[in-house]
Amino acid sequence: MPSIRTLKTFLAVARHGSFAAAGKHVGLTAAAVGLQIRALEEDLHCQLFDRGARTVVLNPCARKLLPRIEQLVVDYEDLAEDSGSGGLAGSVVMGALVSALMGAFSDALWSIKRENPTLDVRLFAGLSSDFAMRVEQGELDAAVVTRPPRPLPVSMVWTPLYTEPLVLIVPRRPHFQLPAQPLDALRTAPFLRFDHGTWTGALVDDAIRCCDVQVRVEMELNSVEAIIELVRQGLGVSIVPRLANVSWGADRALRVVPLPCGSVCRDVGLLERRHHARTRFTDAVKAYFSHGAAAASGAEQPRQAAERAGPAALRQNL
């Protein structure tokens, strides 16, 4: 009878496409992975992979068995958790945007960890587009990413968690002539652009189009945090998501201005496979936002409204 460890090795080979890559994932040599797969094939009385020189591909028999094996592993992981204290336990491997860790997701993670002290969460910071592939391949249990710009594979699901409006940020002490009106500032000031090849960058491009302006791109970066710091230093203006845990109103180096062209928002959500072994954790993350979103939104709105009050002219904010 194959062990759960062997079934996990099979899933790793199915996701990574070679014995060597699967071995790195599960901590075995390629030879040891091959032995486990051959033993599994003998137990199931069928060949599971079409083997090439460097890669292996699931054959029809394995594709038929794959969902059932995935479910067996998920059920075993649930059984292991249920036999404990009743809370969440074990290790979870997550990806998250750095800006999400500066935003609302950090509050959710802190709350879940506080209620489940034996839970171990390993976090990797990166870009949404990079995480999508790693979640699909099983390297990550889930990831906090922006709304995917394209349809997902049927094996993947994205659940919205919270929304961040895009805002114009300008320095209090610019090293350039800063026009009074927001649209003029966008047209003439050095613009620090979020990498337009990323999912968030595409949203920023949407906001620029909505404002119907041509910006003077001074630099292009793939970090919201770096952009904010450069604006603080007076090197340009930018459009960024309004992160939840940043003290925008108390910042002495920059000002936040509503977009003059209307509201453009970044939706942040949880990306996961439809079937995986850490659904209890991802369900807890989704429950945190679904139960606390209304209260959190109500607490944030007065502060945001106060910062946005006043005439639209940028001069009023400087």
Side-chain angles (χ1 to χ4, degrees):
M1 196 70 179
S3 67
I4 290 294
R5 185 182 296 274
T6 299
L7 297 181
K8 288 182 177 180
T9 300
F10 164 79
L11 294 178
V13 175
R15 288 167 185 154
H16 294 279
S18 76
F19 291 169
K24 291 179 181 179
H25 183 72
V26 300
L28 296 173
T29 64
V33 170
L35 288 174
Q36 286 196 13
I37 295 301
R38 280 192 285 274
L40 180 61
E41 289 175 331
E42 290 175 4
D43 287 335
L44 298 177
H45 306 292
C46 70
Q47 185 174 326
L48 298 172
F49 295 96
D50 295 329
R51 292 164 170 81
R54 295 187 177 181
T55 61
V56 291
V57 180
L58 288 171
N59 63 22
C61 178
R63 287 196 294 270
K64 182 178 179 181
L65 292 173
L66 181 62
R68 296 173 65 185
I69 291 176
E70 286 180 328
Q71 191 59 51
L72 279 172
V73 172
V74 168
D75 289 343
Y76 177 82
E77 297 286 353
D78 286 345
L79 182 64
E81 286 192 358
D82 289 342
S83 65
S85 62
L88 298 175
S91 296
V92 177
V93 185
M94 285 279 298
L97 301 166
V98 176
S99 57
L101 297 175
M102 295 174 66
F105 177 65
S106 61
D107 296 331
L109 188 59
W110 171 253
S111 176
I112 293 170
K113 281 279 293 176
R114 183 178 55 191
E115 295 173 2
N116 302 275
T118 60
L119 178 67
D120 176 35
V121 181
R122 295 174 57 200
L123 277 172
F124 293 89
L127 300 175
S128 294
S129 54
D130 297 334
F131 287 143
M133 182 177 295
R134 296 179 67 186
V135 171
E136 185 178 11
Q137 292 178 345
E139 293 181 25
L140 300 174
D141 294 311
V144 178
V145 301
T146 58
R147 180 186 293 276
R150 294 172 294 277
L152 291 169
V154 294
S155 61
M156 306 273 283
V157 61
W158 181 86
T159 305
L161 298 178
Y162 59 92
T163 297
E164 297 168 330
L166 267 60
V167 293
L168 171 65
I169 56 173
V170 299
R172 290 179 184 266
R173 291 178 291 276
H175 297 303
F176 53 89
Q177 187 67 36
L178 183 62
Q181 297 293 333
L183 285 177
D184 292 335
L186 281 171
R187 289 190 186 98
T188 64
F191 188 78
L192 308 180
R193 180 181 197 160
F194 200 90
D195 181 358
H196 69 276
T198 64
W199 294 0
T200 296
L203 277 177
V204 172
D205 289 347
D206 288 343
I208 293 171
R209 281 192 293 270
C210 286
C211 293
D212 194 25
V213 295
Q214 289 285 339
V215 296
R216 289 178 46 218
V217 177
E218 185 74 14
M219 284 183 273
E220 188 166 333
L221 305 97
N222 65 0
S223 166
V224 172
E225 304 71 38
I227 290 173
I228 292 172
E229 184 55 36
L230 290 173
V231 172
R232 284 193 177 109
Q233 293 178 26
L235 300 184
V237 304
S238 189
I239 294 175
V240 297
R242 192 181 189 281
L243 306 180
N245 287 342
V246 176
S247 300
W248 300 99
D251 199 309
R252 297 183 177 182
L254 61 76
R255 292 283 190 180
V256 177
V257 182
L259 287 179
C261 52
S263 176
V264 178
C265 294
R266 178 172 82 160
D267 295 323
V268 179
L270 190 68
L271 182 67
E272 60 188 319
R273 298 182 303 283
R274 291 189 183 276
H275 305 286
H276 63 92
R278 291 292 179 261
T279 53
R280 289 185 63 196
F281 172 79
T282 55
D283 286 347
V285 172
K286 290 180 280 191
Y288 174 91
F289 285 98
S290 64
H291 294 158
S297 175
E300 288 286 312
Q301 285 174 357
R303 177 168 61 83
Q304 294 177 7
E307 289 185 8
R308 297 181 182 187
L314 184 57
R315 183 179 288 113
Q316 300 296 325
N317 294 306
L318 297 176

